[in-house]
Amino acid sequence: MDRWRAWDEFLEARPDTGFMQASWWADFRTDAGYDHFAAILKHQGAILGGALVMKFSPTPLSCFYYIPDGPLLPGDESEAEEVFQALLEAIEAQRKTETVTVSHLRIEPRWERLPAFLSGFRAVPALSDGCMEPRHTLCIDLRHSEAEILAHMKPKGRYNIRVAQKHGVSVVEDNSERGLVDFLAIYAETAARQKMDAKPPDYFEALLSTLSSAQKGSVFFAEYQGRRLAAAIVVYFARKATYLFGASLASHRQVMAPYLLHFEIMRRARARGYEWYDFWGIAPEDAPTHPWWDFSVFKRKFGGQEFNLVPTLDYIYDPASYEHYVAT
């Protein structure tokens, strides 16, 4: 919508944000039953910073605010502090209008260090609830040539890409109805095999509809002998292509289809002018018992640069309501 255009353009020009602050992502979450509001700070018509704030209601009598990929602040720390305080005041003004208890404000800025002015927030352990995003990720620099990207991979990564190529694996982009159906089938098998909590089909129907209408994403498949073996949903935003969801079948593992799938996605993203391919979450290298360990080993075979972002941070408004949220 027009009222969001300036905000989205502001985001697209920033290297330190992500797609979850975009208006089209907020619309997608609205379809899932989540409200949102904006707190945007301007000076003489220019946006200085702000946030798109999600509102989640875990019970009929309570809610909390959530800022994924934000807030966005000026680069200068003194200016950032002023904007941050003004942002908190705007959110507090919104809180006073609520008819239910607001338990807390959760922020997930793409900062690699905590600013000195931040106070009153508590760090939230990774994976402690379902309303948080990865804080440790791996990105491939697409500004290098294809040869350099391959050279920066681990030997096993390069080898498996060549294996897939020799077997005749191909990669296709399919945003049609068939693409959705095929993704859901591969995803369902993967979820059952890995015993993971799967998102329902209507989540992906809404997601792919949003990405298609906003022209911000694609579904890719690796095919072998006419069968789709692996799939990936990729989001395009600002300078980055992000691998948001993926799945693969257990059959024909020897052809290494997922390796060629990601290499081809990188190649195509690079050709479209994107500078980074974000693998969207990995386990720390010293955490072999982490639930993400197995697929993190896979991702690290592609080389890349690891980014450690500050932890998820909560500011508690109502201790009793917050403790109830944490307990459930």
Side-chain angles (χ1 to χ4, degrees):
M1 292 185 290
D2 288 344
R3 69 189 180 95
W4 289 110
R5 184 174 299 158
W7 175 248
D8 286 341
E9 290 175 353
F10 171 76
L11 293 177
E12 291 272 4
R14 294 282 298 250
D16 59 340
T17 188
F19 59 87
M20 290 188 177
Q21 277 292 291
S23 64
W24 50 266
W25 183 261
D27 291 340
F28 161 61
R29 301 308 284 156
T30 298
D31 290 341
Y34 302 122
D35 293 330
H36 63 270
F37 62 92
I40 300 172
L41 287 302
K42 295 182 178 180
H43 177 65
Q44 296 180 346
I47 296 176
L48 301 177
L52 196 156
V53 186
M54 307 289 183
K55 175 185 171 183
F56 290 177
S57 300
T59 75
L61 299 177
S62 68
C63 70
F64 70 94
Y65 298 151
Y66 178 34
I67 307 177
D69 281 338
L72 274 297
L73 304 177
D76 178 82
E77 188 146 327
S78 62
E79 294 179 8
E81 180 175 7
E82 290 184 24
V83 171
F84 187 66
Q85 292 305 318
L87 174 62
L88 293 181
E89 290 170 8
I91 293 173
E92 175 63 15
Q94 173 68 27
R95 185 172 79 93
K96 289 178 178 178
T97 70
E98 299 288 355
T99 58
V100 298
T101 300
V102 183
S103 57
H104 62 289
L105 165 66
R106 171 166 292 182
I107 65 173
E108 286 182 334
R110 298 188 71 85
W111 303 335
E112 293 185 69
R113 64 174 184 84
L114 291 171
F117 60 76
L118 191 79
S119 64
F121 285 80
R122 61 184 288 181
V124 183
L127 306 180
S128 56
D129 68 56
C131 196
M132 54 200 319
E133 300 299 338
R135 308 307 293 158
H136 188 68
T137 192
L138 174 70
C139 295
I140 310 300
D141 189 342
L142 302 180
R143 293 170 296 182
H144 296 297
S145 67
E146 289 184 20
E148 290 171 326
I149 292 171
L150 282 166
H152 293 155
M153 293 182 188
K154 292 186 177 180
K156 192 64 173 177
R158 290 193 300 274
Y159 175 79
N160 288 342
I161 290 169
R162 290 195 296 269
V163 168
Q165 290 170 331
K166 289 178 180 177
H167 277 97
V169 174
S170 60
V171 174
V172 297
E173 188 173 352
D174 185 357
N175 298 318
S176 69
E177 184 66 26
R178 181 200 168 186
L180 171 62
V181 170
D182 287 349
F183 176 84
L184 290 174
I186 299 171
Y187 178 78
E189 179 176 318
T190 302
R193 185 176 71 247
Q194 297 182 351
K195 297 181 174 60
M196 66 182 189
D197 292 331
K199 294 188 180 297
D202 58 2
Y203 176 93
F204 291 105
E205 291 171 10
L207 173 61
L208 295 182
S209 175
T210 297
L211 294 178
S212 177
S213 61
Q215 297 184 325
K216 292 295 183 182
S218 290
V219 188
F220 292 88
F221 296 93
E223 296 182 342
Y224 174 65
Q225 295 182 347
R227 187 179 186 190
R228 293 179 168 180
L229 301 181
I233 295 176
V234 177
V235 177
Y236 299 114
F237 184 76
R239 306 175 189 176
K240 188 181 297 180
T242 299
Y243 167 47
L244 189 58
F245 288 101
S248 62
L249 301 181
S251 60
H252 302 293
R253 302 290 289 237
Q254 78 281 2
V255 304
M256 300 296 172
Y259 287 89
L260 187 61
L261 174 66
H262 286 282
F263 181 57
E264 282 296 320
I265 293 171
M266 290 179 209
R267 289 182 67 248
R268 297 180 194 192
R270 180 178 176 276
R272 292 172 177 175
Y274 294 96
E275 297 180 358
W276 294 92
Y277 183 57
D278 189 345
F279 267 109
W280 192 245
I282 56 172
E285 278 198 289
D286 59 352
T289 60
H290 195 286
W292 295 354
W293 180 257
D294 287 345
F295 66 71
S296 298
V297 171
F298 164 76
K299 291 177 179 181
R300 284 192 170 100
K301 288 189 174 73
F302 291 90
Q305 181 178 348
E306 297 190 19
F307 292 90
N308 290 295
L309 304 177
V310 300
T312 299
L313 299 164
D314 284 352
Y315 185 89
I316 301 169
Y317 294 126
D318 187 281
S321 184
Y322 182 76
E323 289 305 317
H324 182 265
Y325 170 80
V326 171
T328 55

